Structure formats: structure tokens, C-alpha cells
Amino acid sequence: MTQILHLTASARHGRSLSRMLGARFIDGWRRLRPDDVIVPRDVGAVPPPAISENWIAGAFTPEVERTPEQQDALAISDELIGEVVDCDLIVLATPMYNYGMPAALKAWVDQVVRVNKTFTFDLTRGDDPLAPTLAGKTMVLLTSSGEFGFAPGELRSHMNHLIPHLETVSKYLGVTEIHTASIEYQEFGDARHESSVALAQDRVDGLVGELTKSLPSVAA
Ligand SMILES: Cc1cc2nc3c(=O)[nH]c(=O)nc-3n(C[C@H](O)[C@H](O)[C@H](O)COP(=O)(O)O)c2cc1C
């Protein structure tokens, strides 16, 4: 069986293109693998809190020694990390806001990438002291942007702080394989946008076909 964490980060609902791609992936998956478990987490609709002094102090304090305030601050982090630990596949649908990820998604990242939970820190490892504690997860990263040319080698690749950032931090969630599909040109609303939508939808359908074959099924 595969457990999917379905994350959505757009502040928009009905008109959101990244949500549309995420929903398309999940609908396609359900058709082929109805017994798999899908866990939705809509950080666009309900943004996680920003981390706090109590959160940071608590994360560096052994569990039995934490104050009630530190325990409270870490409760949502424990819940969100649990969803990551339990999943095999993270389907992350997000817009580009100001050339990076929405603040609500960054708040989720800050809650789930946590010392002694999703990574360890050990100076005996020399110049590379951080090591993830999880491994073997796949991520499908579905994005939408108003402008275009964010792919490697294109016009605005140097301005893409969305996909490279998520690729970097997802390592600390145990992600070892990432697939992307991106809609561009949303603000132009022209034929290039339509073609970009169609290509991204085809890519999503292809990823459903590919990953339903490679990820564990009920029978496995
Ligand atoms: C607050 C905000 C900031 C945005 N910043 C960018 C940006 O930096 N670059 C870009 O190409 N598009 C930007 N856009 C356009 C969105 O990426 C585009 O509308 C995308 O389709 C939104 O995703 P959604 O359709 O899932 O809501 C921005 C939109 C908003 C609302």
C-alpha cells in the first residue's frame, strides 16, 4: 500500500491552477489504486503557525524536560511530522509567490524540518553535520506561476527560488526522488498559457501511470 500526503499551498481555491494539478493527480491515482491512503493537508486554507521561541527551545530540549509551553508549541509540529513520516509519496501543489514559496508553505517547512526528528546534527560529521533521519520517499512537485521561463537554462531560471528551495529542504524529509510539473504564463492568459496547462496536465497523467507502477500496491 502507498500512503500519499496531499499538500496544497495556494491561497486561492476554485481558480487555483496548482490545486487543479494536485487534484488531477489524486483523482487519477484513486482511479487506479482505490485502496491507497490519501492524507490531505491544506496549508493554503489553514496556514501552520510560524515557529516561536518556545518552539525552538523545546526542539533542543529532551522531551521529558520540556515546559508545558514548549510542549504546546511543538504539538502541531509533531502532528505535521507524523504525516510526513507515515507517507511514501508527497504530492505538493504550490504557487510561486514572489519567486519563492508561499509563506504558509514555508511555515509548514519550518514546522516539519526539525532537529532530532527529521534530521540530526552532529559536528563529528565535520563540515556536513546535518543528516536526514528519513529516506526513500518520493515527491511530486506541482507548481504554477504567472510569468514564465523558470526551467533550467531559460530566461528566469536564476529567479526560481521555489523549486530549488523545495528540492533542497525535501532532502530533510527523506525525499530521495522528485518529479515536477509546472504551469507557467498564468498572468498572460494567452495560447502559451493554454499550452503550458495542457502539457502540465499530460505530465501529471504520465506521473500517475509511472508511479502507480513503481510505488508499493496493496498486493505488494
Ligand atoms: C502574492 C502573489 C505573488 C506572486 N508572485 C509571483 C512571482 O513572483 N512570479 C510569478 O511568475 N508569478 C507570481 N504570482 C502569480 C502566481 O504564481 C500565479 O497566479 C499562480 O497561478 C498562482 O497559483 P494558483 O493558481 O495555484 O493560485 C504571484 C501571485 C500572487 C497572488
Side-chain angles (χ1 to χ4, degrees):
M1 190 188 72
T2 291
Q3 182 151 325
I4 301 178
L5 175 58
H6 178 201
L7 270 171
T8 36
S10 177
R12 302 203 298 179
H13 291 271
R15 292 177 300 146
S16 163
L17 293 164
S18 58
R19 278 178 192 274
M20 178 274 290
L21 290 180
R24 189 180 179 99
F25 185 97
I26 296 297
D27 290 348
W29 192 281
R30 276 194 217 277
R31 270 195 292 279
L32 294 172
R33 300 268 293 268
D35 295 325
D36 284 348
V37 176
I38 318 269
V39 176
R41 175 58 69 174
D42 192 342
V43 300
V46 185
I51 61 165
S52 61
E53 167 82 45
N54 275 322
W55 190 104
I56 296 170
F60 284 94
T61 302
E63 203 169 339
V64 289
E65 293 170 27
R66 282 180 198 143
T67 65
E69 293 77 15
Q70 291 170 349
Q71 288 168 18
D72 281 354
L74 291 172
I76 182 68
S77 170
D78 289 340
E79 182 182 341
L80 297 174
I81 288 171
E83 291 172 358
V84 172
V85 169
D86 289 347
C87 79
D88 311 286
L89 171 61
I90 301 173
V91 176
L92 170 46
T94 181
M96 172 181 278
Y97 286 168
N98 296 308
Y99 303 101
M101 71 181 88
L105 179 57
K106 180 59 166 48
W108 177 85
V109 168
D110 289 347
Q111 290 284 353
V112 294
V113 178
R114 187 169 126 199
V115 69
N116 296 327
K117 287 289 254 187
T118 55
F119 72 93
T120 54
F121 184 90
D122 184 351
L123 284 175
T124 65
R125 296 190 193 113
D127 288 345
D128 207 5
L130 277 76
T133 58
L134 305 167
K137 297 183 193 298
T138 301
M139 177 178 276
V140 170
L141 181 50
L142 307 170
T143 68
S144 180
S145 60
E147 297 171 90
F148 66 95
F150 292 107
E154 294 184 358
L155 182 66
R156 294 184 182 84
S157 60
H158 63 293
M159 293 157 79
N160 186 350
H161 304 291
L162 176 63
I163 293 177
H165 191 173
L166 287 166
E167 283 172 343
T168 300
V169 294
S170 64
K171 172 182 164 188
Y172 298 106
L173 302 178
V175 172
T176 41
E177 183 183 322
I178 300 192
H179 305 269
T180 59
S182 298
I183 291 175
E184 296 189 310
Y185 299 97
Q186 179 273 324
E187 281 156 9
F188 296 82
D190 55 13
R192 295 172 301 175
H193 176 56
E194 281 169 29
S195 149
S196 174
V197 170
L199 277 172
Q201 288 174 326
D202 284 353
R203 168 96 177 126
V204 164
D205 296 347
L207 284 171
V208 170
E210 196 182 306
L211 295 174
T212 46
K213 287 191 191 85
S214 63
L215 286 170
S217 68
V218 174

Short mmCIF file of all heavy atoms in Angstrom, two decimals, residues 124-171:
data_model
loop_
_atom_site.label_atom_id
_atom_site.label_comp_id
_atom_site.label_asym_id
_atom_site.label_seq_id
_atom_site.Cartn_x
_atom_site.Cartn_y
_atom_site.Cartn_z
N THR A 124 30.68 15.76 14.72
CA THR A 124 31.71 14.77 14.37
C THR A 124 31.63 14.41 12.88
O THR A 124 32.51 13.75 12.36
CB THR A 124 31.58 13.47 15.21
OG1 THR A 124 30.35 12.83 14.88
CG2 THR A 124 31.65 13.75 16.70
N ARG A 125 30.56 14.86 12.20
CA ARG A 125 30.48 14.65 10.74
C ARG A 125 31.26 15.72 9.97
O ARG A 125 31.15 15.82 8.76
CB ARG A 125 29.02 14.64 10.29
CG ARG A 125 28.19 13.50 10.86
CD ARG A 125 26.82 13.42 10.16
NE ARG A 125 25.95 12.55 10.91
CZ ARG A 125 24.84 12.94 11.56
NH1 ARG A 125 24.45 14.19 11.50
NH2 ARG A 125 24.12 12.08 12.23
N GLY A 126 31.99 16.57 10.69
CA GLY A 126 32.84 17.56 10.02
C GLY A 126 32.02 18.68 9.42
O GLY A 126 31.12 19.22 10.06
N ASP A 127 32.31 19.02 8.16
CA ASP A 127 31.65 20.17 7.53
C ASP A 127 30.25 19.85 7.04
O ASP A 127 29.60 20.70 6.45
CB ASP A 127 32.50 20.68 6.35
CG ASP A 127 33.76 21.38 6.84
OD1 ASP A 127 33.82 21.72 8.05
OD2 ASP A 127 34.68 21.59 6.03
N ASP A 128 29.78 18.65 7.26
CA ASP A 128 28.44 18.25 6.78
C ASP A 128 27.66 17.64 7.96
O ASP A 128 27.32 16.45 7.95
CB ASP A 128 28.61 17.24 5.64
CG ASP A 128 27.45 17.25 4.68
OD1 ASP A 128 26.55 18.11 4.84
OD2 ASP A 128 27.41 16.39 3.78
N PRO A 129 27.38 18.46 9.00
CA PRO A 129 26.86 17.89 10.25
C PRO A 129 25.39 17.46 10.21
O PRO A 129 24.96 16.71 11.07
CB PRO A 129 27.03 19.03 11.26
CG PRO A 129 27.07 20.27 10.45
CD PRO A 129 27.63 19.91 9.11
N LEU A 130 24.62 17.93 9.22
CA LEU A 130 23.19 17.57 9.18
C LEU A 130 22.99 16.28 8.40
O LEU A 130 23.56 16.10 7.32
CB LEU A 130 22.37 18.67 8.50
CG LEU A 130 21.96 19.86 9.36
CD1 LEU A 130 23.12 20.81 9.58
CD2 LEU A 130 20.80 20.61 8.71
N ALA A 131 22.16 15.38 8.95
CA ALA A 131 21.83 14.15 8.22
C ALA A 131 20.35 13.85 8.40
O ALA A 131 19.84 13.89 9.53
CB ALA A 131 22.66 12.98 8.73
N PRO A 132 19.64 13.56 7.30
CA PRO A 132 18.21 13.24 7.44
C PRO A 132 18.01 11.92 8.17
O PRO A 132 18.84 11.01 8.05
CB PRO A 132 17.72 13.15 5.99
CG PRO A 132 18.93 13.02 5.14
CD PRO A 132 20.10 13.52 5.91
N THR A 133 16.90 11.82 8.92
CA THR A 133 16.60 10.56 9.61
C THR A 133 15.65 9.69 8.78
O THR A 133 15.48 8.51 9.09
CB THR A 133 15.92 10.83 10.97
OG1 THR A 133 14.73 11.58 10.73
CG2 THR A 133 16.81 11.59 11.92
N LEU A 134 15.01 10.28 7.77
CA LEU A 134 14.05 9.55 6.94
C LEU A 134 14.66 9.35 5.56
O LEU A 134 15.56 10.08 5.15
CB LEU A 134 12.75 10.36 6.81
CG LEU A 134 12.07 10.78 8.11
CD1 LEU A 134 11.00 11.83 7.85
CD2 LEU A 134 11.45 9.55 8.78
N ALA A 135 14.14 8.35 4.83
CA ALA A 135 14.66 8.09 3.48
C ALA A 135 13.61 7.39 2.64
O ALA A 135 12.61 6.89 3.17
CB ALA A 135 15.92 7.22 3.56
N GLY A 136 13.85 7.39 1.34
CA GLY A 136 13.05 6.54 0.45
C GLY A 136 11.71 7.11 0.02
O GLY A 136 10.89 6.39 -0.55
N LYS A 137 11.47 8.41 0.30
CA LYS A 137 10.19 8.98 -0.09
C LYS A 137 10.28 9.64 -1.47
O LYS A 137 11.36 10.08 -1.88
CB LYS A 137 9.72 10.03 0.93
CG LYS A 137 9.48 9.42 2.31
CD LYS A 137 8.97 10.43 3.30
CE LYS A 137 9.04 9.89 4.72
NZ LYS A 137 8.21 8.70 4.95
N THR A 138 9.14 9.68 -2.15
CA THR A 138 9.05 10.32 -3.46
C THR A 138 8.23 11.59 -3.31
O THR A 138 7.29 11.63 -2.52
CB THR A 138 8.35 9.37 -4.45
OG1 THR A 138 9.11 8.16 -4.53
CG2 THR A 138 8.23 9.97 -5.85
N MET A 139 8.62 12.62 -4.07
CA MET A 139 7.82 13.86 -4.08
C MET A 139 7.39 14.17 -5.51
O MET A 139 8.20 14.09 -6.44
CB MET A 139 8.63 15.03 -3.52
CG MET A 139 7.85 16.36 -3.58
SD MET A 139 8.77 17.75 -2.87
CE MET A 139 8.37 17.57 -1.14
N VAL A 140 6.11 14.54 -5.65
CA VAL A 140 5.61 15.09 -6.91
C VAL A 140 5.32 16.56 -6.64
O VAL A 140 4.45 16.88 -5.82
CB VAL A 140 4.35 14.34 -7.38
CG1 VAL A 140 3.70 15.08 -8.54
CG2 VAL A 140 4.70 12.92 -7.80
N LEU A 141 6.08 17.43 -7.27
CA LEU A 141 6.01 18.86 -7.00
C LEU A 141 5.31 19.55 -8.17
O LEU A 141 5.81 19.55 -9.30
CB LEU A 141 7.45 19.37 -6.83
CG LEU A 141 7.69 20.82 -6.52
CD1 LEU A 141 6.83 21.31 -5.37
CD2 LEU A 141 9.16 21.01 -6.20
N LEU A 142 4.12 20.10 -7.89
CA LEU A 142 3.27 20.68 -8.92
C LEU A 142 3.16 22.17 -8.68
O LEU A 142 2.69 22.60 -7.63
CB LEU A 142 1.88 20.02 -8.85
CG LEU A 142 1.91 18.49 -8.91
CD1 LEU A 142 0.55 17.89 -8.59
CD2 LEU A 142 2.40 18.02 -10.28
N THR A 143 3.61 22.97 -9.65
CA THR A 143 3.70 24.41 -9.41
C THR A 143 2.95 25.21 -10.48
O THR A 143 2.72 24.72 -11.59
CB THR A 143 5.17 24.89 -9.39
OG1 THR A 143 5.73 24.77 -10.70
CG2 THR A 143 6.00 24.08 -8.41
N SER A 144 2.62 26.44 -10.12
CA SER A 144 2.04 27.36 -11.09
C SER A 144 2.64 28.73 -10.88
O SER A 144 2.85 29.16 -9.74
CB SER A 144 0.52 27.41 -10.93
OG SER A 144 -0.01 28.32 -11.88
N SER A 145 2.94 29.41 -12.00
CA SER A 145 3.49 30.77 -11.91
C SER A 145 2.84 31.67 -12.95
O SER A 145 2.34 31.20 -13.98
CB SER A 145 5.01 30.75 -12.11
OG SER A 145 5.32 30.22 -13.38
N GLY A 146 2.85 32.97 -12.66
CA GLY A 146 2.25 33.94 -13.58
C GLY A 146 3.15 34.26 -14.74
O GLY A 146 2.69 34.48 -15.87
N GLU A 147 4.47 34.29 -14.47
CA GLU A 147 5.44 34.54 -15.54
C GLU A 147 5.92 33.20 -16.09
O GLU A 147 5.33 32.16 -15.80
CB GLU A 147 6.60 35.38 -14.99
CG GLU A 147 6.16 36.76 -14.51
CD GLU A 147 7.28 37.48 -13.77
OE1 GLU A 147 8.06 38.18 -14.43
OE2 GLU A 147 7.37 37.32 -12.54
N PHE A 148 7.00 33.23 -16.84
CA PHE A 148 7.46 32.01 -17.50
C PHE A 148 8.98 31.99 -17.58
O PHE A 148 9.64 32.98 -17.25
CB PHE A 148 6.86 31.90 -18.91
CG PHE A 148 7.34 32.98 -19.84
CD1 PHE A 148 8.41 32.77 -20.69
CD2 PHE A 148 6.72 34.23 -19.84
CE1 PHE A 148 8.86 33.78 -21.53
CE2 PHE A 148 7.17 35.24 -20.68
CZ PHE A 148 8.24 35.02 -21.51
N GLY A 149 9.52 30.84 -18.02
CA GLY A 149 10.96 30.76 -18.25
C GLY A 149 11.75 30.43 -17.00
O GLY A 149 12.90 30.85 -16.84
N PHE A 150 11.14 29.67 -16.07
CA PHE A 150 11.81 29.34 -14.80
C PHE A 150 12.59 28.03 -14.85
O PHE A 150 13.27 27.68 -13.90
CB PHE A 150 10.79 29.29 -13.65
CG PHE A 150 10.19 30.63 -13.33
CD1 PHE A 150 8.89 30.95 -13.68
CD2 PHE A 150 10.96 31.60 -12.69
CE1 PHE A 150 8.36 32.19 -13.38
CE2 PHE A 150 10.44 32.86 -12.40
CZ PHE A 150 9.12 33.16 -12.75
N ALA A 151 12.48 27.28 -15.94
CA ALA A 151 13.18 25.99 -16.03
C ALA A 151 14.68 26.23 -16.23
O ALA A 151 15.08 27.31 -16.69
CB ALA A 151 12.61 25.16 -17.18
N PRO A 152 15.52 25.24 -15.88
CA PRO A 152 16.97 25.41 -16.02
C PRO A 152 17.34 25.86 -17.44
O PRO A 152 16.83 25.32 -18.42
CB PRO A 152 17.52 24.01 -15.72
CG PRO A 152 16.49 23.39 -14.82
CD PRO A 152 15.16 23.93 -15.29
N GLY A 153 18.19 26.87 -17.51
CA GLY A 153 18.66 27.35 -18.81
C GLY A 153 17.74 28.36 -19.47
O GLY A 153 18.08 28.94 -20.51
N GLU A 154 16.57 28.61 -18.89
CA GLU A 154 15.63 29.55 -19.50
C GLU A 154 15.79 30.97 -18.92
O GLU A 154 16.55 31.18 -17.97
CB GLU A 154 14.19 29.05 -19.34
CG GLU A 154 13.94 27.76 -20.13
CD GLU A 154 12.49 27.29 -20.07
OE1 GLU A 154 11.66 27.91 -19.38
OE2 GLU A 154 12.19 26.27 -20.72
N LEU A 155 15.01 31.89 -19.50
CA LEU A 155 15.10 33.33 -19.20
C LEU A 155 15.17 33.70 -17.71
O LEU A 155 15.97 34.54 -17.31
CB LEU A 155 13.85 33.99 -19.83
CG LEU A 155 13.67 35.49 -19.75
CD1 LEU A 155 14.77 36.19 -20.56
CD2 LEU A 155 12.29 35.87 -20.28
N ARG A 156 14.30 33.10 -16.90
CA ARG A 156 14.21 33.47 -15.48
C ARG A 156 14.64 32.33 -14.54
O ARG A 156 14.23 32.29 -13.40
CB ARG A 156 12.77 33.89 -15.12
CG ARG A 156 12.32 35.16 -15.80
CD ARG A 156 10.94 35.60 -15.34
NE ARG A 156 10.51 36.79 -16.03
CZ ARG A 156 9.92 36.80 -17.23
NH1 ARG A 156 9.67 35.67 -17.87
NH2 ARG A 156 9.59 37.95 -17.80
N SER A 157 15.48 31.43 -15.05
CA SER A 157 15.87 30.30 -14.18
C SER A 157 16.55 30.80 -12.90
O SER A 157 16.36 30.23 -11.83
CB SER A 157 16.77 29.32 -14.93
OG SER A 157 17.93 29.97 -15.34
N HIS A 158 17.32 31.90 -13.02
CA HIS A 158 18.02 32.43 -11.84
C HIS A 158 17.05 33.04 -10.83
O HIS A 158 17.45 33.33 -9.70
CB HIS A 158 19.05 33.48 -12.28
CG HIS A 158 18.44 34.67 -12.93
ND1 HIS A 158 17.80 34.62 -14.15
CD2 HIS A 158 18.33 35.96 -12.51
CE1 HIS A 158 17.34 35.83 -14.46
NE2 HIS A 158 17.65 36.65 -13.49
N MET A 159 15.80 33.26 -11.23
CA MET A 159 14.80 33.84 -10.32
C MET A 159 13.89 32.78 -9.70
O MET A 159 12.97 33.10 -8.96
CB MET A 159 13.94 34.87 -11.08
CG MET A 159 14.76 36.08 -11.51
SD MET A 159 14.02 36.94 -12.91
CE MET A 159 12.73 37.85 -12.09
N ASN A 160 14.15 31.52 -10.02
CA ASN A 160 13.31 30.44 -9.49
C ASN A 160 13.84 30.03 -8.11
O ASN A 160 14.75 29.23 -7.98
CB ASN A 160 13.33 29.25 -10.46
CG ASN A 160 12.37 28.14 -10.02
OD1 ASN A 160 11.82 28.18 -8.92
ND2 ASN A 160 12.19 27.16 -10.88
N HIS A 161 13.22 30.59 -7.08
CA HIS A 161 13.60 30.22 -5.70
C HIS A 161 12.54 29.31 -5.10
O HIS A 161 12.50 29.14 -3.88
CB HIS A 161 13.79 31.48 -4.86
CG HIS A 161 14.79 32.42 -5.44
ND1 HIS A 161 16.14 32.15 -5.50
CD2 HIS A 161 14.63 33.61 -6.07
CE1 HIS A 161 16.77 33.13 -6.11
NE2 HIS A 161 15.88 34.02 -6.47
N LEU A 162 11.69 28.76 -5.96
CA LEU A 162 10.62 27.87 -5.48
C LEU A 162 11.09 26.41 -5.57
O LEU A 162 11.27 25.74 -4.55
CB LEU A 162 9.35 28.09 -6.32
CG LEU A 162 8.17 27.16 -6.02
CD1 LEU A 162 7.69 27.36 -4.60
CD2 LEU A 162 7.04 27.41 -7.01
N ILE A 163 11.28 25.93 -6.79
CA ILE A 163 11.63 24.51 -6.96
C ILE A 163 13.01 24.19 -6.35
O ILE A 163 13.12 23.22 -5.59
CB ILE A 163 11.51 24.10 -8.44
CG1 ILE A 163 10.02 24.16 -8.85
CG2 ILE A 163 12.07 22.69 -8.67
CD1 ILE A 163 9.74 23.86 -10.31
N PRO A 164 14.05 24.98 -6.62
CA PRO A 164 15.35 24.65 -6.00
C PRO A 164 15.29 24.62 -4.47
O PRO A 164 15.90 23.77 -3.84
CB PRO A 164 16.28 25.76 -6.51
CG PRO A 164 15.66 26.21 -7.78
CD PRO A 164 14.17 26.11 -7.56
N HIS A 165 14.53 25.55 -3.88
CA HIS A 165 14.42 25.59 -2.41
C HIS A 165 13.75 24.31 -1.91
O HIS A 165 14.23 23.66 -0.97
CB HIS A 165 13.62 26.83 -2.00
CG HIS A 165 13.65 27.13 -0.54
ND1 HIS A 165 13.12 28.26 0.01
CD2 HIS A 165 14.14 26.43 0.51
CE1 HIS A 165 13.28 28.25 1.32
NE2 HIS A 165 13.89 27.15 1.65
N LEU A 166 12.63 23.94 -2.54
CA LEU A 166 11.91 22.74 -2.09
C LEU A 166 12.74 21.47 -2.33
O LEU A 166 12.70 20.53 -1.53
CB LEU A 166 10.54 22.65 -2.78
CG LEU A 166 9.54 23.68 -2.23
CD1 LEU A 166 8.33 23.81 -3.14
CD2 LEU A 166 9.11 23.32 -0.80
N GLU A 167 13.50 21.47 -3.43
CA GLU A 167 14.39 20.31 -3.68
C GLU A 167 15.41 20.20 -2.55
O GLU A 167 15.71 19.11 -2.06
CB GLU A 167 15.10 20.47 -5.03
CG GLU A 167 14.20 20.14 -6.21
CD GLU A 167 14.84 20.47 -7.55
OE1 GLU A 167 15.82 21.23 -7.60
OE2 GLU A 167 14.30 19.98 -8.57
N THR A 168 15.96 21.33 -2.12
CA THR A 168 16.98 21.30 -1.07
C THR A 168 16.40 20.83 0.26
O THR A 168 16.94 19.92 0.90
CB THR A 168 17.61 22.71 -0.90
OG1 THR A 168 18.20 23.08 -2.14
CG2 THR A 168 18.67 22.71 0.19
N VAL A 169 15.26 21.44 0.69
CA VAL A 169 14.75 21.09 2.03
C VAL A 169 14.09 19.71 2.05
O VAL A 169 14.06 19.06 3.11
CB VAL A 169 13.78 22.14 2.62
CG1 VAL A 169 14.50 23.44 2.89
CG2 VAL A 169 12.57 22.35 1.74
N SER A 170 13.58 19.25 0.91
CA SER A 170 12.88 17.95 0.92
C SER A 170 13.83 16.80 1.27
O SER A 170 13.39 15.75 1.75
CB SER A 170 12.18 17.70 -0.41
OG SER A 170 13.14 17.58 -1.43
N LYS A 171 15.12 17.02 1.08
CA LYS A 171 16.12 16.02 1.50
C LYS A 171 15.95 15.72 2.99
O LYS A 171 16.12 14.58 3.43
CB LYS A 171 17.52 16.57 1.20
CG LYS A 171 18.65 15.74 1.73
CD LYS A 171 19.99 16.41 1.43
CE LYS A 171 21.08 15.80 2.29
NZ LYS A 171 22.35 16.52 2.19
#
